[in-house]
Amino acid sequence: MIEQTFVALKPDAVQRGLTGEIIKRFEQVGMKIVAMKMVWVTPEFSKKHYREHVDKPFYKGLEEFIIQGPVIGMVLEGVSSVDTVRKMVGSTEPKSAAPGTIRGDFSHHSYSYADQKGIPIKNLIHASGNKKDAEYEIALWFTKSEMHNYKTVHEVHTQ
Ligand code: CDP
Ligand code: MG
């Protein structure tokens, strides 16, 4: 039941100074940060990370957005972490993301607004969609030596 998931704080989260606010939420629920680093994503790396979206019409704007500034990548570990983190992140479209979610609390643009302006949807954060994607993304972003093994207080007090 304990599993790992991959999260990236996109350039808008870094540039808006929201990384602490977002990471705090994961720490608050007891997720364990197993790995973390700041990376400037290249177009080649973006195509590997977003391999399922490369041929979609929105990919060009997405790539321009994701390579536009540094990103913070991290691996979070916890009970059903893939689903829990997705729930905390909220819907892809900020306008539809529920209050209380990261996207719902810190962004509000709609698909139609972004399309009309010809700008990408800036929704602050990426989180793996399922366990298989999580395994692929963790291996893409981190080497084994960048993954850290330690005990959190939750492992001591919430067994
Ligand atoms: O990130 P999430 O898994 O919620 O959504 P996705 O469907 O996997 O799409 C990946 C990313 O592409 C989104 O987070 C958006 O940044 C972007 N996207 C977009 O700009 N316009 C769309 N119509 C769909 C996705
Ligand atoms: Mg996705």
Side-chain angles (χ1 to χ4, degrees):
M1 272 166 105
I2 301 264
E3 63 186 23
Q4 295 183 339
T5 191
F6 173 74
V7 163
L9 307 182
K10 294 177 175 178
D12 54 338
V14 175
Q15 289 165 14
R16 288 178 58 195
L18 290 171
T19 61
E21 285 289 340
I22 296 171
I23 293 165
K24 183 177 108 183
R25 291 180 175 218
F26 296 126
E27 289 184 322
Q28 257 173 206
V29 300
M31 288 285 156
K32 176 176 178 175
I33 301 169
V34 169
M36 185 182 286
K37 64 179 164 188
M38 192 176 224
V39 173
W40 205 305
V41 171
T42 62
E44 295 69 36
F45 192 85
S46 171
K47 288 179 186 78
K48 287 183 188 159
H49 174 75
Y50 282 124
R51 67 199 187 294
E52 65 185 312
H53 296 314
V54 172
D55 297 323
K56 296 186 184 158
F58 64 82
Y59 179 74
K60 190 170 172 284
L62 172 59
E63 184 181 288
E64 281 166 14
F65 167 44
I66 206 74
I67 68 168
Q68 174 245 305
V71 164
I72 293 178
M74 70 190 91
V75 177
L76 298 175
E77 186 178 286
V79 176
S80 303
S81 62
V82 175
D83 285 350
T84 300
V85 168
R86 289 288 288 192
K87 185 181 69 180
M88 293 172 71
V89 164
S91 310
T92 306
E93 181 188 35
K95 176 177 179 285
S96 311
T101 65
I102 291 161
R103 287 168 172 166
D105 283 353
F106 299 114
S107 59
H108 75 282
H109 282 185
S110 63
Y111 285 134
S112 56
Y113 177 80
D115 286 350
Q116 184 202 321
K117 297 278 276 186
I119 57 172
I121 279 280
K122 295 183 178 172
N123 56 7
L124 299 165
I125 182 165
H126 165 85
S128 306
N130 55 57
K131 226 176 145 170
K132 207 166 141 270
D133 284 357
E135 279 163 19
Y136 170 83
E137 289 166 9
I138 290 168
L140 177 67
W141 281 75
F142 292 97
T143 61
K144 283 221 156 48
S145 65
E146 291 173 322
M147 305 280 285
H148 300 285
N149 196 357
Y150 65 100
K151 275 216 181 312
T152 64
V153 290
H154 305 285
E155 288 167 288
V156 176
H157 295 297
T158 62
Q159 301 275 2

